[in-house]
Amino acid sequence: MKFYLAPLEGITGYVYRNALEKYFSGADRYFTPFIAPDQKRVLRTKEKRDVAPENNRVENLVPQLLTNNAEHFLMTVRVLEDLGYREVNLNLGCPSGTVVARKRGSGFLAYPEELDRFLEQIFEGTGVKISIKTRIGCDSADNAFRLMEIYAKYPLSELIIHPRTQKEYYRGVPDQELFGRLASYYHASSPVCYNGNLLTPPDYISFTEKFPQISSVMLGRGVIANPGLIHQLKTGEQTDRKKLRAFHDEVLQGYQEYLGTDALFRMKEMWIYMSHLFTEHEKYVKKIRKAQSLAEYGYAVDALFAQQELLPDGPRKWNLPQK
């Protein structure tokens, strides 16, 4: 099985990726948070920083692009090629309302004919490998099999399927039964990867029992909640408290180096997920969330690590952001 780290905007930038690889190695591939080119800029400052080779200490990094404009896509690919990248990923999965309103991400799925023309243009315009991360539709999954037909026309390096519609965001349970049917229907040479709610070891085991033929999975929120998850799935070793603290401290230091006191906001976002790895974490997370300085934040984090245990199989219940 190959394990991929899903991109989460505001969390899985190069600081996070480097620390994860150092303390909890195991991911076979990392994907950057999406790059959204427009008429004025191909790469914004933060995007340039995130893909700069000198900032990344992971071996297999794939930039993700979010656009419905073939010219913008190809311009960005040329810039990334100059940086040494030989593969990119097209984001057809983002469910954000502002993204969808511009016919990007999973919003593009509502226009299959336009999507088909777009794919034809980008595959004709570059020899760089292109993978796709997709949902199964926008308002409904009625066009899911039509989307598979379109994808099968092109030489994708991989098709990553998240079996929810845009309308579902991250609510409910992904439709694994439909995923299985779509994966079987997708008659192409490129492999299929699964993404969606593999949050704990039992989730992963259940999935592999249902789909032994699938050889790659993409994990997102489960890894942010338990940074040792991929390492645990590969080795059987549970997440180590000392390693987790060292990982946390390195991420914090990395953010401080280029964000200063704004690092506090990035760390708070990470704790929305990672707090669920600890027993009885609620009162500590409230203090983390209310911290107005890095010193206050540090006291709250110290107390959580000192006074609570890690859950051996990861979070036992979830109350994560649904959008």
Side-chain angles (χ1 to χ4, degrees):
M1 181 67 75
K2 293 181 179 178
F3 295 91
Y4 303 158
L5 178 67
L8 273 76
E9 180 68 21
I11 296 182
T12 62
Y14 74 91
V15 168
Y16 188 94
R17 295 191 299 264
N18 290 341
L20 190 69
E21 178 66 17
K22 179 177 178 179
Y23 293 100
F24 300 106
S25 61
D28 296 284
R29 183 170 290 184
Y30 293 85
F31 290 75
T32 71
F34 64 70
I35 297 166
D38 56 32
Q39 295 181 31
K40 298 179 181 179
R41 291 170 292 190
V42 173
L43 292 177
R44 293 164 177 77
T45 300
K46 71 172 184 177
E47 295 167 344
K48 289 179 182 177
R49 184 189 298 119
D50 195 50
V51 298
E54 63 269 21
N55 288 337
N56 285 280
R57 298 191 295 274
V58 300
E59 287 190 12
N60 199 341
L61 179 63
V62 180
Q64 186 182 81
L65 277 61
L66 178 79
T67 183
N68 59 13
N69 184 298
E71 182 181 355
H72 296 166
F73 182 96
L74 293 171
M75 286 169 45
T76 308
V77 165
R78 288 192 285 271
V79 172
L80 293 169
E81 274 191 285
D82 290 341
L83 293 173
Y85 291 98
R86 297 294 177 262
E87 181 172 354
V88 296
N89 178 258
L90 173 63
N91 182 325
L92 295 176
C94 180
S96 166
T98 54
V99 167
V100 170
R102 300 177 70 179
K103 288 169 55 175
R104 296 179 177 182
S106 56
F108 206 175
L109 303 178
Y111 306 90
E113 287 73 24
E114 290 183 41
L115 175 60
D116 194 359
R117 288 194 295 272
F118 169 84
L119 293 177
E120 181 179 13
Q121 289 175 300
I122 66 173
F123 277 97
E124 286 182 351
T126 183
V128 165
K129 291 181 180 179
I130 301 173
S131 61
I132 288 178
K133 183 174 187 288
T134 185
R135 289 194 172 221
I136 54 176
C138 194
D139 291 336
S140 74
D142 291 348
N143 285 330
F145 289 93
R146 169 65 177 139
L147 293 172
M148 296 301 111
E149 290 178 354
I150 292 172
Y151 298 148
K153 292 169 61 176
Y154 301 98
L156 277 62
S157 60
E158 191 162 27
L159 179 63
I160 305 165
I161 301 176
H162 181 114
R164 283 187 176 101
T165 63
Q166 180 276 331
K167 194 173 183 179
E168 291 175 292
Y169 285 87
Y170 296 97
R171 295 185 291 267
V173 179
D175 192 339
Q176 290 189 357
E177 187 274 334
L178 179 56
F179 165 79
R181 290 164 55 206
L182 293 173
S184 297
Y185 185 81
Y186 176 68
H187 296 297
S189 59
S190 56
V192 173
C193 173
Y194 175 82
N195 170 240
N197 273 41
L198 300 185
L199 304 172
T200 65
D203 294 335
Y204 170 75
I205 292 169
S206 175
F207 174 81
T208 57
E209 289 173 348
K210 292 179 185 176
F211 302 100
Q213 75 278 19
I214 299 299
S215 60
S216 59
V217 292
M218 175 178 276
L219 309 179
R221 294 178 299 163
V223 174
I224 310 307
N226 177 10
L229 178 60
I230 292 176
H231 184 75
Q232 182 175 353
L233 294 177
K234 280 195 165 184
T235 67
E237 298 175 7
Q238 294 174 349
T239 301
D240 179 82
R241 175 191 295 270
K242 289 183 179 179
K243 281 187 178 181
L244 184 65
R245 183 59 198 254
F247 163 81
H248 166 276
D249 293 349
E250 188 145 330
V251 172
L252 175 58
Q253 181 181 347
Y255 284 151
Q256 285 181 281
E257 287 175 0
Y258 79 91
L259 292 174
T261 55
D262 286 345
L264 179 61
F265 300 104
R266 289 287 183 91
M267 299 305 294
K268 286 182 179 182
E269 188 168 9
M270 191 171 77
W271 277 108
I272 292 173
Y273 299 86
M274 204 165 75
S275 62
H276 295 266
L277 186 58
F278 290 80
T279 57
E280 309 304 326
H281 60 269
E282 290 82 0
K283 70 176 183 180
Y284 302 90
V285 175
K286 285 182 181 178
K287 291 181 180 180
I288 290 172
R289 189 169 57 245
K290 292 179 179 180
Q292 296 299 307
S293 68
L294 287 169
E296 280 185 69
Y297 169 84
Y299 294 141
V301 171
D302 287 345
L304 177 57
F305 270 96
Q307 298 169 19
Q308 296 300 318
E309 300 297 324
L310 300 185
L311 296 167
D313 283 325
R316 58 192 172 203
K317 63 179 181 177
W318 289 80
N319 182 24
L320 300 182
Q322 299 299 299
K323 295 187 180 182

